Amino acid sequence: MRKNLAMTTITVATAIALAGCSAGTSDSSMPGMNHGSASVSPAGSAAAAPADHNAADAEFARMMIPHHAQAVQMSDVVLAKNGIPAQVTALAGRIKAAQGPEIEKMTGWLKDWNEPAEMSGGHTMNGMVDNGDMTKLEAAQGREAARLFLTHMIAHHQGAVAMAQKEGADGKNADALKLGKDIVVAQEAEIKEMQELLGTL
């Protein structure tokens, strides 16, 4: 009985081992047959995709978030004023509507990437408006406020375009690269629009 039991155990173990080898190799030789691993692998790839980024992507998001936040702040200042030309008010509304959701998107990326949201020292953001100029914008009224808004926002947009172009050259994450490209296209068009509006004031 002991001998028969031992032989049976060896036979079962051998069969299991062979089955394991077969399952392990079926992925390459007959992928359609291994439904278990085929169903797990795409999900794993999809889950890993958002985390596929590099340092340039993280820096782009970290710097663009406060940059966008100031553009929204400037737009809010103008939208709260009376006597602003309708075209300038409409532009401020569009800037706020576009950049608010982009802030949320980039904040989500940093969280998904397990990257810190705060910038480290040594980074500068082109086009940011200093406190003195923000105070002047807040105090101005009518066409003067519109002129200040357009002048500062043109420089602000130019800074954002430069940051987005750097992301296009150095970044890796597909979503971040797409946003960088979208920012360049949208804000270059708005720069041209603002320059034309400024000429009418």
Side-chain angles (χ1 to χ4, degrees):
M1 286 293 292
R2 285 198 201 96
K3 185 174 181 182
N4 289 341
L5 182 60
M7 289 299 293
T8 303
T9 304
I10 291 168
T11 304
V12 171
T14 305
I16 291 171
L18 288 171
C21 291
S22 170
T25 56
S26 65
D27 229 7
S28 55
S29 59
M30 297 177 70
M33 297 300 291
N34 192 357
H35 298 297
S37 61
S39 62
V40 171
S41 130
S45 301
D52 188 22
H53 73 287
N54 62 13
D57 297 318
E59 181 179 321
F60 168 68
R62 268 194 296 267
M63 293 177 71
M64 195 63 81
I65 288 168
H67 202 271
H68 270 24
Q70 189 179 64
V72 171
Q73 180 188 3
M74 292 167 65
S75 298
D76 280 336
V77 168
V78 166
L79 290 168
K81 292 182 183 294
N82 295 318
I84 304 294
Q87 288 175 295
V88 176
T89 301
L91 174 66
R94 293 203 313 271
I95 290 171
K96 180 179 178 179
Q99 297 196 23
E102 288 175 356
I103 291 171
E104 293 180 10
K105 183 185 293 187
M106 290 183 286
T107 302
W109 291 346
L110 291 174
K111 184 178 179 181
D112 291 344
W113 298 340
N114 294 317
E115 292 280 0
E118 298 297 321
M119 287 186 298
S120 57
H123 293 288
T124 57
M125 292 174 288
N126 295 332
M128 291 291 281
V129 179
D130 63 31
N131 291 334
D133 285 332
M134 279 298 297
T135 301
K136 289 177 183 176
L137 175 62
E138 289 165 357
Q141 298 297 328
R143 287 183 175 270
E144 177 59 21
R147 276 193 293 269
L148 287 173
F149 172 76
L150 292 173
T151 300
H152 293 318
M153 194 62 83
I154 287 169
H156 201 270
H157 271 30
Q158 287 169 339
V161 167
M163 290 160 60
Q165 287 172 335
K166 186 176 187 301
E167 165 63 13
D170 301 335
K172 177 182 180 183
N173 182 268
D175 290 336
L177 288 168
K178 182 181 184 305
L179 179 59
K181 184 177 180 180
D182 290 345
I183 287 172
V184 170
V185 171
Q187 297 203 19
E188 281 186 339
E190 287 174 351
I191 288 169
K192 183 178 179 181
E193 180 182 354
M194 289 188 287
Q195 287 169 336
E196 291 174 354
L197 281 172
L198 196 54
T200 67
L201 297 175

PDB file of all heavy atoms in Angstrom, residues 157-158 161-162 165 181-195:
ATOM      1  N   HIS A 157       0.964  84.355 -20.112  1.00  0.00           N
ATOM      2  CA  HIS A 157       0.771  83.308 -21.123  1.00  0.00           C
ATOM      3  C   HIS A 157       2.095  82.931 -21.792  1.00  0.00           C
ATOM      4  O   HIS A 157       2.344  81.757 -22.070  1.00  0.00           O
ATOM      5  CB  HIS A 157      -0.217  83.796 -22.194  1.00  0.00           C
ATOM      6  CG  HIS A 157      -1.651  83.489 -21.882  1.00  0.00           C
ATOM      7  ND1 HIS A 157      -2.144  83.401 -20.614  1.00  0.00           N
ATOM      8  CD2 HIS A 157      -2.714  83.235 -22.722  1.00  0.00           C
ATOM      9  CE1 HIS A 157      -3.456  83.112 -20.667  1.00  0.00           C
ATOM     10  NE2 HIS A 157      -3.804  83.004 -21.942  1.00  0.00           N
ATOM     11  N   GLN A 158       2.914  83.927 -22.070  1.00  0.00           N
ATOM     12  CA  GLN A 158       4.212  83.641 -22.702  1.00  0.00           C
ATOM     13  C   GLN A 158       5.057  82.736 -21.802  1.00  0.00           C
ATOM     14  O   GLN A 158       5.748  81.829 -22.273  1.00  0.00           O
ATOM     15  CB  GLN A 158       4.942  84.952 -23.008  1.00  0.00           C
ATOM     16  CG  GLN A 158       4.322  85.705 -24.177  1.00  0.00           C
ATOM     17  CD  GLN A 158       4.856  87.134 -24.324  1.00  0.00           C
ATOM     18  OE1 GLN A 158       5.387  87.719 -23.370  1.00  0.00           O
ATOM     19  NE2 GLN A 158       4.712  87.713 -25.510  1.00  0.00           N
ATOM     20  N   VAL A 161       3.599  79.191 -22.050  1.00  0.00           N
ATOM     21  CA  VAL A 161       3.972  78.565 -23.325  1.00  0.00           C
ATOM     22  C   VAL A 161       5.397  78.022 -23.249  1.00  0.00           C
ATOM     23  O   VAL A 161       5.670  76.892 -23.693  1.00  0.00           O
ATOM     24  CB  VAL A 161       3.825  79.563 -24.497  1.00  0.00           C
ATOM     25  CG1 VAL A 161       4.492  79.031 -25.760  1.00  0.00           C
ATOM     26  CG2 VAL A 161       2.344  79.854 -24.765  1.00  0.00           C
ATOM     27  N   ALA A 162       6.302  78.801 -22.665  1.00  0.00           N
ATOM     28  CA  ALA A 162       7.691  78.344 -22.534  1.00  0.00           C
ATOM     29  C   ALA A 162       7.772  77.089 -21.661  1.00  0.00           C
ATOM     30  O   ALA A 162       8.500  76.137 -21.977  1.00  0.00           O
ATOM     31  CB  ALA A 162       8.550  79.456 -21.937  1.00  0.00           C
ATOM     32  N   GLN A 165       6.364  74.142 -23.648  1.00  0.00           N
ATOM     33  CA  GLN A 165       7.307  73.699 -24.681  1.00  0.00           C
ATOM     34  C   GLN A 165       8.439  72.876 -24.081  1.00  0.00           C
ATOM     35  O   GLN A 165       8.904  71.901 -24.677  1.00  0.00           O
ATOM     36  CB  GLN A 165       7.859  74.906 -25.433  1.00  0.00           C
ATOM     37  CG  GLN A 165       6.835  75.548 -26.372  1.00  0.00           C
ATOM     38  CD  GLN A 165       7.307  76.857 -26.972  1.00  0.00           C
ATOM     39  OE1 GLN A 165       8.155  77.553 -26.397  1.00  0.00           O
ATOM     40  NE2 GLN A 165       6.763  77.215 -28.123  1.00  0.00           N
ATOM     41  N   LYS A 181       0.993  70.422 -25.141  1.00  0.00           N
ATOM     42  CA  LYS A 181       0.732  70.824 -26.528  1.00  0.00           C
ATOM     43  C   LYS A 181      -0.529  71.681 -26.617  1.00  0.00           C
ATOM     44  O   LYS A 181      -0.564  72.694 -27.328  1.00  0.00           O
ATOM     45  CB  LYS A 181       0.577  69.568 -27.393  1.00  0.00           C
ATOM     46  CG  LYS A 181       0.401  69.847 -28.871  1.00  0.00           C
ATOM     47  CD  LYS A 181       0.329  68.544 -29.668  1.00  0.00           C
ATOM     48  CE  LYS A 181       0.141  68.830 -31.159  1.00  0.00           C
ATOM     49  NZ  LYS A 181       0.065  67.571 -31.948  1.00  0.00           N
ATOM     50  N   ASP A 182      -1.582  71.282 -25.879  1.00  0.00           N
ATOM     51  CA  ASP A 182      -2.836  72.041 -25.883  1.00  0.00           C
ATOM     52  C   ASP A 182      -2.630  73.453 -25.333  1.00  0.00           C
ATOM     53  O   ASP A 182      -3.216  74.418 -25.829  1.00  0.00           O
ATOM     54  CB  ASP A 182      -3.902  71.310 -25.052  1.00  0.00           C
ATOM     55  CG  ASP A 182      -4.387  70.019 -25.709  1.00  0.00           C
ATOM     56  OD1 ASP A 182      -4.115  69.829 -26.921  1.00  0.00           O
ATOM     57  OD2 ASP A 182      -5.013  69.201 -25.009  1.00  0.00           O
ATOM     58  N   ILE A 183      -1.813  73.565 -24.280  1.00  0.00           N
ATOM     59  CA  ILE A 183      -1.542  74.877 -23.687  1.00  0.00           C
ATOM     60  C   ILE A 183      -0.842  75.783 -24.694  1.00  0.00           C
ATOM     61  O   ILE A 183      -1.180  76.961 -24.833  1.00  0.00           O
ATOM     62  CB  ILE A 183      -0.707  74.727 -22.398  1.00  0.00           C
ATOM     63  CG1 ILE A 183      -1.584  74.165 -21.268  1.00  0.00           C
ATOM     64  CG2 ILE A 183      -0.090  76.064 -21.978  1.00  0.00           C
ATOM     65  CD1 ILE A 183      -0.822  73.798 -20.006  1.00  0.00           C
ATOM     66  N   VAL A 184       0.139  75.235 -25.403  1.00  0.00           N
ATOM     67  CA  VAL A 184       0.862  76.035 -26.401  1.00  0.00           C
ATOM     68  C   VAL A 184      -0.113  76.563 -27.461  1.00  0.00           C
ATOM     69  O   VAL A 184      -0.117  77.762 -27.775  1.00  0.00           O
ATOM     70  CB  VAL A 184       1.988  75.202 -27.056  1.00  0.00           C
ATOM     71  CG1 VAL A 184       2.572  75.955 -28.257  1.00  0.00           C
ATOM     72  CG2 VAL A 184       3.089  74.888 -26.057  1.00  0.00           C
ATOM     73  N   VAL A 185      -0.946  75.690 -27.997  1.00  0.00           N
ATOM     74  CA  VAL A 185      -1.873  76.083 -29.064  1.00  0.00           C
ATOM     75  C   VAL A 185      -2.873  77.126 -28.561  1.00  0.00           C
ATOM     76  O   VAL A 185      -3.066  78.185 -29.180  1.00  0.00           O
ATOM     77  CB  VAL A 185      -2.614  74.847 -29.616  1.00  0.00           C
ATOM     78  CG1 VAL A 185      -3.730  75.263 -30.571  1.00  0.00           C
ATOM     79  CG2 VAL A 185      -1.638  73.916 -30.325  1.00  0.00           C
ATOM     80  N   ALA A 186      -3.508  76.846 -27.416  1.00  0.00           N
ATOM     81  CA  ALA A 186      -4.555  77.732 -26.897  1.00  0.00           C
ATOM     82  C   ALA A 186      -3.995  79.083 -26.469  1.00  0.00           C
ATOM     83  O   ALA A 186      -4.556  80.134 -26.792  1.00  0.00           O
ATOM     84  CB  ALA A 186      -5.269  77.058 -25.724  1.00  0.00           C
ATOM     85  N   GLN A 187      -2.878  79.061 -25.748  1.00  0.00           N
ATOM     86  CA  GLN A 187      -2.388  80.320 -25.189  1.00  0.00           C
ATOM     87  C   GLN A 187      -1.665  81.173 -26.221  1.00  0.00           C
ATOM     88  O   GLN A 187      -1.673  82.403 -26.110  1.00  0.00           O
ATOM     89  CB  GLN A 187      -1.521  80.038 -23.952  1.00  0.00           C
ATOM     90  CG  GLN A 187      -2.338  79.379 -22.839  1.00  0.00           C
ATOM     91  CD  GLN A 187      -1.745  79.576 -21.459  1.00  0.00           C
ATOM     92  OE1 GLN A 187      -0.936  80.461 -21.228  1.00  0.00           O
ATOM     93  NE2 GLN A 187      -2.159  78.742 -20.529  1.00  0.00           N
ATOM     94  N   GLU A 188      -1.055  80.569 -27.220  1.00  0.00           N
ATOM     95  CA  GLU A 188      -0.484  81.390 -28.306  1.00  0.00           C
ATOM     96  C   GLU A 188      -1.599  82.129 -29.047  1.00  0.00           C
ATOM     97  O   GLU A 188      -1.443  83.295 -29.416  1.00  0.00           O
ATOM     98  CB  GLU A 188       0.330  80.523 -29.257  1.00  0.00           C
ATOM     99  CG  GLU A 188       1.720  80.176 -28.720  1.00  0.00           C
ATOM    100  CD  GLU A 188       2.586  79.432 -29.718  1.00  0.00           C
ATOM    101  OE1 GLU A 188       2.015  78.835 -30.671  1.00  0.00           O
ATOM    102  OE2 GLU A 188       3.821  79.435 -29.549  1.00  0.00           O
ATOM    103  N   ALA A 189      -2.734  81.460 -29.249  1.00  0.00           N
ATOM    104  CA  ALA A 189      -3.879  82.118 -29.897  1.00  0.00           C
ATOM    105  C   ALA A 189      -4.413  83.244 -29.022  1.00  0.00           C
ATOM    106  O   ALA A 189      -4.768  84.329 -29.517  1.00  0.00           O
ATOM    107  CB  ALA A 189      -4.977  81.098 -30.180  1.00  0.00           C
ATOM    108  N   GLU A 190      -4.463  83.011 -27.699  1.00  0.00           N
ATOM    109  CA  GLU A 190      -4.956  84.045 -26.785  1.00  0.00           C
ATOM    110  C   GLU A 190      -3.978  85.214 -26.676  1.00  0.00           C
ATOM    111  O   GLU A 190      -4.416  86.362 -26.511  1.00  0.00           O
ATOM    112  CB  GLU A 190      -5.221  83.434 -25.406  1.00  0.00           C
ATOM    113  CG  GLU A 190      -6.458  82.546 -25.389  1.00  0.00           C
ATOM    114  CD  GLU A 190      -6.666  81.820 -24.083  1.00  0.00           C
ATOM    115  OE1 GLU A 190      -5.768  81.846 -23.205  1.00  0.00           O
ATOM    116  OE2 GLU A 190      -7.747  81.208 -23.929  1.00  0.00           O
ATOM    117  N   ILE A 191      -2.692  84.937 -26.776  1.00  0.00           N
ATOM    118  CA  ILE A 191      -1.708  86.031 -26.782  1.00  0.00           C
ATOM    119  C   ILE A 191      -1.974  86.972 -27.961  1.00  0.00           C
ATOM    120  O   ILE A 191      -1.995  88.195 -27.804  1.00  0.00           O
ATOM    121  CB  ILE A 191      -0.265  85.472 -26.848  1.00  0.00           C
ATOM    122  CG1 ILE A 191       0.123  84.824 -25.516  1.00  0.00           C
ATOM    123  CG2 ILE A 191       0.737  86.575 -27.207  1.00  0.00           C
ATOM    124  CD1 ILE A 191       1.403  84.014 -25.571  1.00  0.00           C
ATOM    125  N   LYS A 192      -2.183  86.391 -29.126  1.00  0.00           N
ATOM    126  CA  LYS A 192      -2.468  87.196 -30.316  1.00  0.00           C
ATOM    127  C   LYS A 192      -3.750  88.006 -30.125  1.00  0.00           C
ATOM    128  O   LYS A 192      -3.818  89.202 -30.447  1.00  0.00           O
ATOM    129  CB  LYS A 192      -2.588  86.284 -31.537  1.00  0.00           C
ATOM    130  CG  LYS A 192      -2.802  87.038 -32.837  1.00  0.00           C
ATOM    131  CD  LYS A 192      -2.863  86.077 -34.029  1.00  0.00           C
ATOM    132  CE  LYS A 192      -3.095  86.840 -35.323  1.00  0.00           C
ATOM    133  NZ  LYS A 192      -3.188  85.932 -36.498  1.00  0.00           N
ATOM    134  N   GLU A 193      -4.776  87.357 -29.558  1.00  0.00           N
ATOM    135  CA  GLU A 193      -6.050  88.031 -29.315  1.00  0.00           C
ATOM    136  C   GLU A 193      -5.863  89.187 -28.336  1.00  0.00           C
ATOM    137  O   GLU A 193      -6.410  90.292 -28.545  1.00  0.00           O
ATOM    138  CB  GLU A 193      -7.051  87.023 -28.753  1.00  0.00           C
ATOM    139  CG  GLU A 193      -8.422  87.606 -28.446  1.00  0.00           C
ATOM    140  CD  GLU A 193      -9.371  86.582 -27.844  1.00  0.00           C
ATOM    141  OE1 GLU A 193      -9.022  85.389 -27.767  1.00  0.00           O
ATOM    142  OE2 GLU A 193     -10.485  86.982 -27.443  1.00  0.00           O
ATOM    143  N   MET A 194      -5.093  88.960 -27.276  1.00  0.00           N
ATOM    144  CA  MET A 194      -4.889  90.005 -26.268  1.00  0.00           C
ATOM    145  C   MET A 194      -4.078  91.167 -26.808  1.00  0.00           C
ATOM    146  O   MET A 194      -4.334  92.331 -26.472  1.00  0.00           O
ATOM    147  CB  MET A 194      -4.231  89.411 -25.024  1.00  0.00           C
ATOM    148  CG  MET A 194      -5.165  88.518 -24.224  1.00  0.00           C
ATOM    149  SD  MET A 194      -4.472  87.980 -22.632  1.00  0.00           S
ATOM    150  CE  MET A 194      -3.248  86.767 -23.148  1.00  0.00           C
ATOM    151  N   GLN A 195      -3.110  90.879 -27.651  1.00  0.00           N
ATOM    152  CA  GLN A 195      -2.310  91.949 -28.255  1.00  0.00           C
ATOM    153  C   GLN A 195      -3.198  92.836 -29.138  1.00  0.00           C
ATOM    154  O   GLN A 195      -3.059  94.060 -29.134  1.00  0.00           O
ATOM    155  CB  GLN A 195      -1.166  91.352 -29.066  1.00  0.00           C
ATOM    156  CG  GLN A 195      -0.059  90.777 -28.196  1.00  0.00           C
ATOM    157  CD  GLN A 195       0.961  89.956 -28.975  1.00  0.00           C
ATOM    158  OE1 GLN A 195       0.655  89.438 -30.058  1.00  0.00           O
ATOM    159  NE2 GLN A 195       2.173  89.829 -28.446  1.00  0.00           N
TER     160      GLN A 195
END
